[in-house]
């Protein structure tokens, strides 16, 4: 690929120029060895940066997946709770408990409710709840008469 080749050439040239600027004969290396060493060091640094970026991307993707899984689990838990809460037999049982509580005449709150609720109508127990979407088409005839 031409872009990769051009970029590699620029990296090598930049490393060679840095080696020339920082060249010191006291280290015991020739100019060519110092340039080669600087080129290798530059490529090693670039590779380390690339690996670091890949690791960060992997960690970020894993965090995103974990958050999405947690959100989906929370939604599923809420959905199952709502389904269990709204089951007909459980609803009827709750209504029965409420009726028993209301019927307890010894309860002070019940006495107060009886005194203050003139038009109080008790909730009726629904034996069979109509399914959502089912319509009673003949009810208008009864209401119309």
């Amino acid at each position: 690929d031409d872009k990769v080749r051009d970029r590699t050439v620029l990296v090598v040239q930049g490393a060679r120029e840095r080696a020339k600027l920082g060249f010191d004969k006291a280290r015991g290396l020739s100019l060519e060895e110092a340039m080669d060493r600087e080129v290798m060091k530059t490529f090693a640094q670039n590779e380390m940066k690339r690996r670091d970026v890949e690791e960060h991307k992997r960690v970020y993707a894993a965090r995103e997946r974990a958050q999405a899984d947690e959100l989906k689990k929370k939604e599923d838990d809420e959905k199952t709770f709502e389904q269990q809460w709204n089951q007909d037999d459980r609803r009827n049982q709750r209504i029965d408990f409420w009726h028993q509580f209301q019927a307890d005449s010894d309860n002070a709150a019940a006495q107060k409710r009886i005194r203050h609720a003139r038009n109080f109508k008790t909730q009726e127990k629904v034996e069979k709840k109509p399914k959502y979407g089912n319509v009673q088409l003949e009810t208008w005839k009864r209401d119309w008469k």
Side-chain angles (χ1 to χ4, degrees), residues 131-142:
K131 283 193 168 184
Y132 179 77
N134 289 354
V135 180
Q136 296 178 353
L137 298 176
E138 304 299 322
T139 56
W140 67 272
K141 290 181 182 177
R142 285 181 294 193

Side-chain angles (χ1 to χ4, degrees), residues 41-124:
K41 198 185 287 186
T42 303
F43 277 108
Q45 288 172 349
N46 289 348
E47 181 65 17
M48 292 292 285
K49 286 179 185 177
R50 185 188 65 79
R51 287 182 183 178
D52 192 37
V53 166
E54 284 181 0
E55 179 64 25
H56 283 291
K57 284 181 182 178
R58 261 195 307 273
V59 168
Y60 183 75
R63 187 181 312 127
E64 288 283 322
R65 278 193 308 274
Q67 287 176 347
D69 291 344
E70 184 178 327
L71 182 64
K72 184 173 180 358
K73 183 181 182 301
K74 183 179 177 183
E75 289 173 355
D76 290 344
D77 289 347
E78 287 177 0
K79 185 178 178 182
T80 56
F81 174 77
E82 286 296 324
Q83 287 174 347
Q84 290 174 351
W85 179 257
N86 289 326
Q87 287 177 346
D88 286 338
D89 56 341
R90 289 193 63 201
R91 182 182 301 117
N92 288 336
Q93 188 178 17
R94 288 194 304 271
I95 292 172
D96 286 341
F97 286 147
W98 178 243
H99 284 296
Q100 289 171 6
F101 175 74
Q102 286 179 333
D104 184 14
S105 61
D106 296 336
N107 189 352
Q111 292 297 325
K112 184 177 179 182
R113 187 173 43 255
I114 290 169
R115 280 195 311 270
H116 294 318
R118 301 267 183 240
N119 298 326
F120 181 72
K121 181 179 174 185
T122 59
Q123 186 178 9
E124 297 296 325

